[in-house]
């Protein structure tokens, strides 16, 4: 993050047919529009196009999530207050979903929360759902 560079390595998996190892050495990487990738482009669920390859960012570590949640200017999808503002409008629908339609075992998972948002029409991306769930 300190120098806006990216490195990509794939762990080798035995007998997978994929080599694994270093895909991209640490360097500045530009988007299709000519601007460079920055820290705020890196969030869960985002698809990053690098050298004609599509990489979906699946998860991060605890340090990264805390950093994103504490820097809402750089990482708007991890800003609790912005997500809360969106969810307040759907408060009744969320309550109704979990009171009537939810078939879980009294533990709400990220998948349950995502399903609820889809059914009631609340548009949250994976990073926002992760932030609420955490």
């Amino acid at each position: 993050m300190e120098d806006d560079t990216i490195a990509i390595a794939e762990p080798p998996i035995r007998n997978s047919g994929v080599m694994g190892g270093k895909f991209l050495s640490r360097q500045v990487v530009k988007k299709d529009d000519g601007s460079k990738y920055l820290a705020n482009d890196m969030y869960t669920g985002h698809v990053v196009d690098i050298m004609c390859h599509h990489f979906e960012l699946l998860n991060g570590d605890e340090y990264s999530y805390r950093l994103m949640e504490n820097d809402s200017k750089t990482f708007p999808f991890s800003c609790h207050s912005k997500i809360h503002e969106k969810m307040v409008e759907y408060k009744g629908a969320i309550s109704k979903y979990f009171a009537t339609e939810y078939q879980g075992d009294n533990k709400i998972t990220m998948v349950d929360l995502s399903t609820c948002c889809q059914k009631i029409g609340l548009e949250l991306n994976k990073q926002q759902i992760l932030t609420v769930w955490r």
Side-chain angles (χ1 to χ4, degrees), residues 14 17 27 42 65 68 70 77-78 89 97 103-104 113:
R14 223 177 127 169
Q27 60 186 288
M42 305 300 158
Y65 290 137
M68 290 188 277
N70 289 320
F77 294 131
S78 293
E89 299 172 26
Y97 173 81
Q103 300 295 321
L113 183 59

Side-chain angles (χ1 to χ4, degrees), residues 23 48-55:
F23 176 82
V48 181
D49 296 323
I50 298 175
M51 295 173 33
C52 299
H53 289 80
H54 306 292
F55 296 93

Side-chain angles (χ1 to χ4, degrees), residues 71-106:
D71 187 0
S72 61
K73 288 182 182 177
T74 304
F75 304 100
F77 294 131
S78 293
C79 179
H80 291 98
S81 59
K82 287 181 182 178
I83 298 168
H84 182 261
E85 285 175 17
K86 285 178 96 170
M87 292 183 78
V88 164
E89 299 172 26
Y90 293 88
K91 181 181 174 184
I94 294 169
S95 297
K96 182 180 176 185
Y97 173 81
F98 284 109
T100 59
E101 294 182 44
Y102 178 62
Q103 300 295 321
D105 59 354
N106 297 328

